[in-house]
């Protein structure tokens, strides 16, 4: 192992996970379909900032998993091992002495049974005292079975916070034309209101939801209007925008004739 005290080494987890993704699609999909940690999932769902999700994921990973650079603690022979990267600030867990050593496969496992590292088995028979624990492909697979579902859940919640909360409303539709607005609800991730400027698509449909016409008008500072758009009997109108591949639509707005007719029946 070409350990580098200051800069670290290529991450075997990232490299071997990429190999699994490339060479064994079924195994990769199985990992993706795993169950995330319930407590971590709840924490992600309550987060109001992407930073909080990343921080929670990092703390969970650091507390429960090792890499080649962070293996430390006292091994099965009572020998103290120091982590390679930043040994002056060792992780409090998981330590070798907090794990169970399995002589069947020369691995260290947490109380949950997750394989964390293994001794170099080709030295075990002849020089057991000089073997060094390291992360191998079996370890990567064991860690991935826990990590990947949580990473997927984190990604889902990051997307939730990344997308601004935008709503579209048609405020009037009558003989004078159409008016509406596009509003952004601020939150911890987007503290300053976004005022949309750009095209909004106006779609007119019949009572069977078949598209009759479609045209674009410009939105200025969150407001749009046009004297050229009208809807006839039994027609509905929807305003929509697209950004980043995401479609946002207003509720259907009934034509002026239909709203007036139903008011008196």
């Amino acid at each position: 192992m070409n350990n580098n005290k200051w800069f670290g080494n290529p991450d075997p987890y990232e490299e071997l996970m990429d190999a699994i993704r490339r060479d064994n699609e079924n195994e990769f999909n199985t990992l993706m379909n795993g169950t995330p940690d319930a407590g971590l999932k709840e924490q992600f769902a309550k987060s109001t900032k992407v930073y909080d999700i990343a921080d929670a994921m990092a703390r969970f990973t650091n507390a429960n998993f090792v890499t080649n650079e962070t293996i430390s603690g006292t091994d099965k022979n009572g020998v103290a091992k120091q982590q390679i990267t930043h040994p002056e600030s060792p992780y409090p867990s998981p330590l070798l002495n907090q794990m169970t050593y399995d002589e069947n496969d020369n691995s260290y496992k947490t109380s949950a049974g997750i394989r964390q590292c293994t001794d170099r088995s080709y030295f075990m028979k002849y020089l057991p005292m000089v073997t060094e624990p390291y992360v191998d492909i079996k370890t990567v697979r064991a860690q991935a079975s826990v990590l990947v579902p949580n990473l997927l859940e984190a990604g889902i919640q990051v997307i939730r916070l990344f997308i601004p909360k935008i709503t579209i409303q048609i405020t009037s539709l009558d003989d004078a034309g159409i008016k509406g607005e596009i509003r952004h609800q601020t939150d911890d991730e987007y503290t300053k209101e976004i005022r949309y400027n750009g095209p909004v698509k106006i779609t007119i449909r019949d009572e069977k939801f078949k598209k009759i016409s479609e045209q674009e008008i410009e939105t200025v500072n969150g407001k749009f209007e046009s004297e050229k758009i009208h809807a006839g009997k039994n027609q509905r109108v929807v305003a929509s925008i697209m950004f980043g591949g995401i479609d946002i639509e207003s509720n259907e707005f009934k034509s002026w004739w239909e709203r007036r007719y139903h008011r008196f029946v």
Side-chain angles (χ1 to χ4, degrees), residues 44 47 49-58 154 157-158 160-161:
F44 290 159
S47 296
K49 292 183 178 180
V50 171
Y51 174 88
D52 295 336
I53 294 175
D55 182 69
M57 188 69 227
Q157 297 301 329
V158 165
R160 170 179 64 84
L161 296 177

Side-chain angles (χ1 to χ4, degrees), residues 212-226:
I212 298 173
S213 66
E214 187 175 272
Q215 57 183 297
E216 288 188 348
I217 58 177
E218 284 299 307
T219 304
V220 178
N221 202 28
K223 304 285 186 180
F224 61 87
E225 62 179 290
S226 174

